[in-house]
Amino acid sequence: MEQDINTIAPGDPVVNIAKNKCYHCGEACAQDTITADEHAFCCEGCYHVYDLLKVTELCDYYVIDDSAGISPDKSFYAGKFDYLDLPDVNTKILEFTDGHLSQVNWYIPKMHCSSCIWLLEQLYKFNPAVRSSVVNFPEKKVRITFEAEKVKLSELATLISSIGYEPYMSLNDIAGEQVKKWNRKRLYKVGIAGFCFGNVMMLSFPEYFHLGKDAFDESLRNTFGWLNLALSIPVLLYCASDFFKSAWAALKGKYLNIDAPIVIALVSIFSLSLYQIITGTGPGYFDSLTGAVFFMLTGRFFQDKTYAGISFDRDYRSYFPVAVSVLTGKAEIRTPVTDLKTSDIILIRNAELIPADSVLLSPEALIDYSFVSGEAEPVRRKKGDTIYAGGKQTGPAIELEIVRKVSQSYLTQLWNNESFSKQKEDQNQMLAARINRYFSVIVLIIASLTFAGWYFIYKNPETAFRAFTTCLLVACPCGLLFSSTFTNGNLMALFGKNQCYPKNADAIERLSKIDTVVFDKTGTITRPDDAEVVFSGSKLTDHERAMVKTLATQSSHPLSRMVVKSLAQVHSGTQALSHYIEASGSGIKGLFGSHTVKLGSAVWAGAQNDREAAMDVAHDQHFSRVYVSIDDISAGYFLVKIKYRENLHKTIDRLHDHGFNTYLLSGDKPTDQEYLAYIFGNNAHLYFKQKPEDKLAFIAALQEKMHQNVLMVGDGLNDAGALQQSNVGVAVSDDINNFTPSCDMIIDGKQLSRLPAFINLARHGQKIIKASFAISLIYNIGGLFFAIGGQLSPVLAAILMPVSLISIVGFTTIASNVAANRILKN
């Protein structure tokens, strides 16, 4: 029979305790409930925060959002942030200092609600040396201004960690190579272009409405023309400089990118306008020039701002800690990772990342390599074994001797592969670039032929210049650029609202061409740190369950931890454990008074002759099992089943229905192979025990031999090479602001089931762009018809251009929103 270990019988006193929710964090309290002021607390950490808030009279925190507090990280220890006081580190962490007041801007991953904002902005009440703390919630950052003479940087970090908001700092923070998320200069350029555009439009009103024909008005009109010229010069030389730099870089690469037609149009319009102002033959087209630059810069600014909080290009330094504990004699010194040398002895605590290849000095260690290899089950290592960078210690603290520096470790070799230096964005192949390239040439040819016809055949120089100007103006490829830019920009916003974040417009276009999808397993299609644990066997008494939990608590093995988690509501009891033994690869056992309890394999627990258990093993061979025996009598086993993300089956089915090929690449062992073969439809498409270089080579083989456009879906550092090699790399993350490998798109783990819809939306986006091109062509062809005949005035041409742009923007916005609502809703 089966007993769900998470179900406790009514009336059990344990249930009464479990019903108590922690007053601070809202989690269920287990057996070790702490009670104070008629409130229950799940742990010492939560009680400590409450006590701190009470002393500082900040308990209004709990009124803002009931039980929304953060439990302090249990891995915190005294001296963890001492390295921040080192001069070399201090100067790189500080955002500003004048010797008296200093300022830091720290990323707080656990910030999640209004109560977090409120508490973080009350830091001055915890320590008077804090002058102010201002939260930037979208980026999850807090800027703290403090008196450097009264509080150290390490003390400040310890303070906010003690209330549950430990700042996240990585090796990148002290490498001195941080790249700003977005450039403020673009905001200044938008402002200048907008100011100039508004004033040019105002000064052009007399031209629009043909006001005044006398000598005084003509003189005033000429003055306005020169003023428009003066206002246009900074727009062309400063505001539009990014377009010129981009076009020039493309020309050096021997191709025309999407900014090249813009540069040609801007230079042509400015040159013709300058000629008209100098010769007095016309007012120029400075309103069109400044307006085009203003609208294009506005669109690109909002694109930059939207993605300011997301990092797509992280390397190993983004994952590594800033400092570790180096043992010198009996002293423990926090040392920056960049200063580690060969032969240094370091101390790595539970859940800390090992920053460099090392030799184990402690008797034993349990290393979790899922961060690097994707293998979910930790590996047991003994004294003298080599432990590679990127592993995490799971258990008591261990001592290691450095054998290679951080920059020379095995982990960093992932970034030496040529796939990381390859640029996926081929601007020359983008849809808008291809059409704009030919369209620009055609427009120039038409404008030149029109000029030649009027000048040489009809002997009418005035009409020739007017026709040439209006042809370039009315058929300016800016309209085609806008159709692509605004469509992709709006799509990127719609993707973002649904927690999928493309890196740029090119990523969306490449996404529309995908025909093959490759998935990683651990952490990508599985739910991290979550498993279903069910007990199968004879019903255990409360005392027996307490003994099992107490025994399992002694082991750091992941299966033991899952068993303990499933028994969270069980009181551990008061009977002492003695004669504890842990046999590597077999199990654990201990003595509770006269009772012997064993947990582990069937052989270890004496259940190998249990016929029912053997049948269950044959039937559920893709599950992990932890057998239990009490006094050498088999009591059953815990069935541990990894949980997969919701709607995984439907996601794969939809991909198959749309003709996509699907593969699974996993660094894990072939567990759940039968289930995954059923999901993916073909056992031959499942590949296990894949190293990072194997994944990268597999993607490359699909691209070269099978001529496929590959989408790689991964999550960990071990997927970084494959994500970069693929046509589109999608990183699945349950926290989009943290630990994201190099990729083209970030998707929230809860939204993975929408992957087929996102691909479908990208394809519809290309159709919308083509339709908007057609609208732009209607305006262009209609305008050209009148411009070639010399029947279109420059003023009408200048007005027709923004009208066409407004039409395109309106169409692309409405069409993309309608498509997104229909596709993503279903």
Side-chain angles (χ1 to χ4, degrees):
M1 71 178 179
E2 292 188 358
Q3 172 194 354
D4 189 339
I5 201 66
N6 292 315
T7 302
I8 308 296
D12 193 318
V14 175
V15 175
N16 296 330
I17 296 175
K19 281 182 178 178
N20 292 327
K21 282 190 175 182
C22 178
Y23 184 67
H24 178 69
C25 70
E27 295 294 325
C29 296
Q31 69 277 7
D32 300 322
T33 303
I34 299 171
T35 304
D37 299 335
E38 298 182 353
H39 301 307
F41 299 92
C42 65
C43 63
E44 288 283 352
C46 286
Y47 170 70
H48 171 72
V49 177
Y50 167 77
D51 190 50
L52 193 61
L53 293 174
K54 180 182 176 182
V55 170
T56 51
E57 299 182 350
L58 290 175
C59 285
D60 287 344
Y61 169 73
Y62 299 106
V63 177
I64 298 173
D65 194 350
D66 185 35
S67 300
I70 302 295
S71 182
D73 192 340
K74 294 179 175 59
S75 65
F76 180 81
Y77 53 90
K80 184 174 185 178
F81 295 109
D82 287 352
Y83 66 90
L84 293 178
D85 298 328
L86 296 174
D88 291 343
V89 177
N90 191 282
T91 55
K92 293 176 180 177
I93 295 294
L94 287 176
E95 192 175 61
F96 164 82
T97 184
D98 61 1
H100 173 59
L101 287 181
S102 298
Q103 195 174 76
V104 290
N105 192 17
W106 276 334
Y107 171 53
I108 311 294
K110 290 186 177 181
M111 189 192 308
H112 70 286
C113 66
S114 58
S115 59
C116 300
I117 299 174
W118 183 86
L119 184 57
L120 286 169
E121 292 191 343
Q122 306 294 318
L123 293 180
Y124 67 93
K125 293 186 178 180
F126 292 101
N127 191 321
V130 176
R131 288 288 187 88
S132 67
S133 50
V134 181
V135 169
N136 181 340
F137 186 69
E139 294 186 17
K140 293 190 175 182
K141 288 187 175 181
V142 57
R143 178 175 276 105
I144 305 172
T145 303
F146 62 98
E147 298 177 35
E149 299 168 346
K150 295 183 179 179
V151 60
K152 295 179 181 179
L153 202 57
S154 60
E155 294 172 343
L156 191 62
T158 300
L159 169 62
I160 62 176
S161 297
S162 68
I163 58 175
Y165 298 95
E166 183 173 324
Y168 168 72
M169 284 172 281
S170 71
L171 188 56
N172 256 343
D173 294 310
I174 63 169
E177 299 178 8
Q178 289 282 49
V179 178
K180 289 192 175 184
K181 303 290 185 182
W182 58 283
N183 194 344
R184 286 185 179 272
K185 287 184 178 179
R186 181 160 288 173
L187 180 60
Y188 304 147
K189 291 179 180 180
V190 171
I192 293 171
F195 171 80
C196 295
F197 172 52
N199 282 278
V200 169
M201 289 286 288
M202 182 181 67
L203 294 172
S204 300
F205 278 162
E207 292 295 335
Y208 295 155
F209 300 105
H210 304 285
L211 300 177
K213 294 297 181 181
D214 55 32
F216 176 76
D217 290 337
E218 191 64 31
S219 174
L220 193 60
R221 181 181 287 107
N222 291 335
T223 302
F224 285 172
W226 285 102
L227 287 174
N228 286 342
L229 171 61
L231 289 167
S232 299
I233 289 175
V235 174
L236 181 72
L237 298 182
Y238 176 68
C239 299
S241 59
D242 290 342
F243 301 118
F244 285 88
K245 291 176 183 177
S246 174
W248 176 246
L251 286 175
K252 289 196 295 185
K254 297 181 180 180
Y255 72 93
L256 290 176
N257 66 0
I258 201 168
D259 289 327
I262 299 302
V263 170
I264 295 172
L266 294 178
V267 171
S268 300
I269 294 172
F270 182 80
S271 300
L272 291 168
S273 301
L274 180 63
Y275 171 80
Q276 289 190 1
I277 293 297
I278 293 175
T279 60
T281 55
Y285 317 112
F286 298 116
D287 50 352
S288 298
L289 172 70
T290 54
V293 173
F294 171 68
F295 286 119
M296 287 186 291
L297 285 176
T298 300
R300 296 193 180 187
F301 169 76
F302 281 112
Q303 176 180 314
D304 292 346
K305 194 69 176 71
T306 300
Y307 297 94
I310 304 172
S311 177
F312 291 87
D313 299 305
R314 292 176 181 253
D315 62 14
Y316 67 95
R317 291 175 301 185
S318 301
Y319 297 81
F320 278 14
V322 176
V324 293
S325 297
V326 175
L327 301 179
T328 305
K330 295 183 179 181
E332 178 183 331
I333 303 172
R334 294 292 287 176
T335 305
V337 170
T338 50
D339 293 344
L340 288 179
K341 303 183 294 294
T342 302
S343 300
D344 278 351
I345 308 299
I346 61 174
L347 182 71
I348 300 295
R349 293 177 169 83
N350 178 53
E352 283 191 337
L353 200 68
I354 297 168
D357 298 347
S358 314
V359 171
L360 180 63
L361 301 181
S362 298
E364 191 175 60
L366 194 63
I367 308 298
D368 179 359
Y369 277 119
S370 61
F371 183 62
V372 176
S373 67
E375 171 62 64
E377 186 173 343
V379 179
R380 196 171 295 277
R381 290 287 180 255
K382 296 182 178 180
K383 185 176 181 178
D385 288 349
T386 298
I387 298 180
Y388 294 102
K392 277 187 178 182
Q393 163 63 358
T394 57
I398 57 173
E399 293 183 11
L400 301 165
E401 181 179 352
I402 303 293
V403 294
R404 278 188 289 271
K405 293 182 178 180
V406 175
S407 59
Q408 300 171 342
S409 67
Y410 162 77
L411 184 62
T412 62
Q413 301 308 310
L414 280 172
W415 275 268
N416 292 333
N417 192 283
E418 62 179 9
S419 67
F420 281 92
S421 60
K422 180 185 68 175
Q423 293 296 323
K424 296 182 184 180
E425 292 85 357
D426 186 354
Q427 300 289 346
N428 203 35
Q429 297 301 316
M430 289 185 68
L431 178 61
R434 295 198 305 270
I435 296 179
N436 276 343
R437 182 173 67 249
Y438 297 121
F439 188 81
S440 300
V441 174
I442 293 171
V443 169
L444 287 171
I445 292 173
I446 292 174
S448 300
L449 291 175
T450 300
F451 176 84
W454 282 105
Y455 192 89
F456 294 106
I457 298 176
Y458 294 101
K459 307 298 182 180
N460 191 338
E462 182 179 350
T463 304
F465 279 104
R466 184 172 70 245
F468 178 76
T469 302
T470 52
C471 282
L472 281 175
L473 188 60
V474 78
C476 175
C478 296
L480 297 180
L481 173 73
F482 271 130
S483 62
S484 174
T485 301
F486 274 84
T487 301
N488 283 323
N490 198 48
L491 284 175
M492 290 175 74
L494 292 169
F495 273 67
K497 287 180 182 178
N498 290 276
Q499 297 176 298
C500 180
Y501 304 88
K503 184 177 184 179
N504 48 35
D506 182 57
I508 294 179
E509 186 162 326
R510 283 185 278 116
L511 182 65
S512 68
K513 301 175 183 177
I514 292 300
D515 53 32
T516 301
V517 182
V518 179
F519 290 91
D520 171 52
K521 179 190 173 186
T522 306
T524 300
I525 62 173
T526 63
R527 291 161 58 179
D529 301 324
D530 197 3
E532 181 182 344
V533 182
V534 177
F535 183 75
S536 178
S538 58
K539 185 175 182 179
L540 300 176
T541 66
D542 292 342
H543 180 60
E544 289 171 339
R545 285 187 293 176
M547 290 192 296
V548 168
K549 180 180 179 180
T550 301
L551 180 63
T553 304
Q554 311 308 311
S555 173
S556 59
H557 193 280
L559 292 178
S560 296
R561 296 201 304 269
M562 291 178 184
V563 169
V564 172
K565 187 176 180 180
S566 71
L567 295 168
Q569 297 173 324
V570 174
H571 195 285
S572 297
T574 57
Q575 193 156 11
L577 167 68
S578 61
H579 296 86
Y580 173 77
I581 297 174
E582 183 165 357
S584 177
S586 298
I588 55 179
K589 75 173 182 178
L591 194 64
F592 293 87
S594 60
H595 299 291
T596 302
V597 181
K598 294 182 179 180
L599 289 176
S601 66
V603 174
W604 174 261
Q608 70 273 23
N609 296 323
D610 190 322
R611 182 179 179 184
E612 182 179 351
M615 292 176 63
D616 288 336
V617 171
H619 180 68
D620 293 322
Q621 60 183 353
H622 54 285
F623 294 161
S624 296
R625 289 161 302 280
V626 180
Y627 287 88
V628 181
S629 70
I630 299 175
D631 295 331
D632 295 324
I633 298 175
S634 176
Y637 58 85
F638 291 93
L639 195 66
V640 182
K641 179 182 179 182
I642 296 175
K643 289 186 179 181
Y644 289 87
R645 295 193 185 272
E646 294 179 2
N647 300 319
L648 175 63
H649 192 284
K650 290 182 179 179
T651 302
I652 304 300
D653 281 348
R654 286 173 183 169
L655 290 172
H656 290 164
D657 292 342
H658 286 85
F660 292 98
N661 302 309
T662 59
Y663 297 86
L664 177 73
L665 296 181
S666 174
D668 209 343
K669 296 176 181 178
T671 54
D672 291 350
Q673 187 164 357
E674 291 181 6
Y675 172 74
L676 291 171
Y678 169 70
I679 293 292
F680 282 83
N682 191 335
N683 205 21
H685 286 186
L686 306 179
Y687 297 86
F688 296 93
K689 297 183 179 180
Q690 297 291 299
K691 297 179 181 178
E693 56 268 27
D694 296 332
K695 294 184 178 183
L696 192 153
F698 184 86
I699 299 294
L702 287 178
Q703 293 169 323
E704 294 174 10
K705 298 178 182 179
M706 307 297 289
H707 305 289
Q708 296 176 349
N709 290 311
V710 182
L711 170 72
M712 174 67 193
V713 187
D715 77 309
L717 192 61
N718 61 301
D719 302 318
L723 288 167
Q724 183 68 20
Q725 175 65 40
S726 62
N727 299 88
V728 179
V730 177
V732 178
S733 177
D734 291 283
D735 180 358
I736 63 168
N737 291 297
N738 202 12
F739 288 164
T740 304
S742 180
C743 61
D744 304 294
M745 190 176 297
I746 302 172
I747 186 171
D748 188 274
K750 297 175 183 176
Q751 302 297 325
L752 183 60
S753 61
R754 282 183 161 183
L755 182 61
F758 289 129
I759 298 175
N760 194 16
L761 182 57
R763 290 179 171 179
H764 274 73
Q766 298 306 299
K767 295 177 181 178
I768 293 170
I769 291 175
K770 292 175 182 177
S772 63
F773 282 167
I775 295 174
S776 180
L777 285 173
I778 292 173
Y779 278 103
N780 291 333
I781 293 172
L784 277 174
F785 177 78
F786 292 101
I788 292 172
Q791 302 171 16
L792 189 65
S793 70
V795 174
L796 289 177
I799 293 174
L800 189 61
M801 178 184 170
V803 169
S804 67
L805 296 180
I806 293 171
S807 301
I808 290 169
V809 170
F811 169 76
T812 57
T813 301
I814 294 172
S816 54
N817 276 282
V818 170
N821 288 335
R822 177 174 54 84
I823 295 171
L824 296 178
K825 185 177 181 180
N826 295 329

